[in-house]
Amino acid sequence: MSEPCLLCGAATQPVLSGVPDNRFGSPGEWTILRCAACGLEQTSPRPTGPELKTLYETYYNYGGESGTTYTGWREKLLMSPLYRVFLELDGDVSFHLEEGSGRLLDVGCNEGRGLVLYRRNGFKPEGLELNSRAAEVARSRGFMVYESDIAALRSSLPFERIVLSNVLEHALDPRQMLGHIRRLLVPGGEVWISLPNRRSALRALFGRHWVNWHLPFHIVHFDSATLRRALSETGFTVVEERQVTPALWVALSVIAAVFPTRPRMQRLAPLVAGLMGIARGLLFPLLWLANRAGRGDCLVVKARKDA
């Protein structure tokens, strides 16, 4: 018996099997199911909440790493003027270039690097992070950070903006998550979403080695149509949509394909930087065409809460 679609409830069928965790090396292989009715794809077997919590704590979550070559390189880049220039050229999938005011909630803020940038750009940012060690680091930067699940979060005031940067695809029930996001927004407030595009040209090129399968942590795999449907059915109207293929994502998929049994190779900064240069330089025309054709690697969407 097939698993029901997480968006429309219709039957699903397998379209790709034997997909490993090519980022963190958690054991096992998974299957990608596609709904024949709406086109949503989802991961099977889908972990339970407790199973997913264990996977995050064992393989995924921030563990207090600091002082390494990787973290030093990353921090210097993110806080430098060069980072803004790079985002202008490569595409901003984390909304780090957005300027404005008002209360902003970054869901999955990790250790708060994005919160620093949102504050610099005029917002009053707060974070939500279930990893207590990462949340404490973010608080040490001077931010209010909640450790509550989004369903249990009861903020004293609503937010003007909520950021789901590579977050919604992790949800066991994406419609339920969007419902809670709507509850936390002011009338006319916006949710800003970025996530991998299941119709990506890189997915077609790399197959099961596409780094943005990111199994078993990515539960749902959206395209533009299914994301718009999920937003519409939970009380949002899309006001802006674009597609981006970040050079970093190209580099990570290349590494995952070349070193399929060595997922931590993606942490080698010189290798990643070199591949990013090739992607942004030599491959720019192809990536631009893929974005224009609806085959970009990342969907970037802003949606407004309906009245």
Side-chain angles (χ1 to χ4, degrees):
M1 181 177 178
S2 69
E3 297 179 17
C5 173
L6 290 171
L7 182 56
C8 74
T12 58
Q13 296 295 328
V15 293
L16 186 65
S17 60
V19 185
D21 175 4
N22 58 12
R23 290 200 184 188
F24 300 119
S26 54
E29 293 183 341
W30 292 267
T31 296
I32 305 300
L33 304 177
R34 182 182 301 160
C35 175
C38 74
L40 185 79
E41 292 184 345
Q42 59 198 60
T43 298
S44 179
R46 189 166 73 252
T48 65
E51 288 171 344
L52 201 56
K53 182 177 186 294
T54 299
L55 285 165
Y56 274 107
E57 291 174 346
T58 305
Y59 297 101
Y60 192 101
N61 275 349
Y62 172 80
E65 179 185 4
S66 64
T68 65
T69 300
Y70 172 76
T71 57
W73 177 84
R74 181 185 62 190
E75 194 77 10
K76 288 179 181 179
L77 173 63
L78 290 175
M79 301 305 160
S80 72
L82 180 63
Y83 181 56
R84 294 187 65 88
V85 174
F86 181 76
L87 290 181
E88 292 282 3
L89 296 173
D90 197 51
D92 179 15
V93 303
S94 298
F95 307 98
H96 288 166
L97 291 177
E98 296 288 341
E99 296 181 348
S101 61
R103 300 182 75 238
L104 178 149
L105 178 67
D106 184 12
V107 178
C109 70
N110 211 300
E111 66 265 40
R113 298 187 306 271
L115 296 176
V116 174
L117 297 171
Y118 298 133
R119 181 170 60 188
R120 182 184 298 176
N121 293 346
F123 296 102
K124 297 176 182 177
E126 300 177 12
L128 186 151
E129 177 55 57
L130 297 181
N131 181 334
S132 59
R133 298 185 71 179
E136 189 57 36
V137 173
R139 290 192 191 102
S140 73
R141 298 176 187 255
F143 298 104
M144 173 66 188
V145 178
Y146 307 92
E147 289 185 49
S148 166
D149 181 87
I150 190 73
L153 180 59
R154 297 292 185 271
S155 174
S156 58
L157 292 171
F159 297 92
E160 279 78 24
R161 307 285 186 273
I162 297 182
V163 177
L164 298 179
S165 176
N166 293 288
V167 168
L168 186 61
E169 68 275 24
H170 291 253
L172 289 168
D173 188 335
R175 288 163 55 98
Q176 186 180 76
M177 173 176 275
L178 288 172
H180 290 301
I181 294 297
R182 189 180 192 281
R183 170 178 57 82
L184 292 166
L185 282 168
V186 300
E190 291 184 352
V191 58
W192 295 349
I193 299 171
S194 63
L195 46 73
N197 176 18
R198 80 159 184 92
R199 295 186 181 275
S200 162
L202 293 186
R203 174 246 177 99
L205 177 64
F206 288 105
R208 61 177 44 83
H209 297 299
W210 183 44
V211 79
N212 281 317
W213 288 127
H214 199 358
L215 306 183
F217 304 99
H218 285 187
I219 306 299
V220 286
H221 310 278
F222 289 97
D223 58 18
S224 175
T226 50
L227 180 56
R228 281 177 172 268
R229 176 171 177 168
L231 286 164
S232 175
E233 292 180 354
T234 51
F236 291 94
T237 298
V238 174
V239 295
E240 181 181 323
E241 179 181 341
R242 55 192 170 89
Q243 294 194 15
V244 178
T245 303
L248 174 62
W249 293 18
V250 179
L252 295 182
S253 280
V254 171
I255 293 170
V258 175
F259 303 103
T261 62
R262 301 175 66 187
R264 294 291 176 176
M265 290 290 288
Q266 296 150 351
R267 302 290 295 275
L268 293 180
L271 176 60
V272 173
L275 290 171
M276 286 174 64
I278 293 172
R280 184 43 51 201
L282 296 178
L283 300 180
F284 173 77
L286 294 176
L287 301 181
W288 182 85
L289 287 171
N291 295 336
R292 297 285 291 180
R295 304 294 299 279
D297 217 38
C298 183
L299 295 171
V300 182
V301 171
K302 292 182 179 180
R304 182 174 297 125
K305 175 180 173 178
D306 296 337

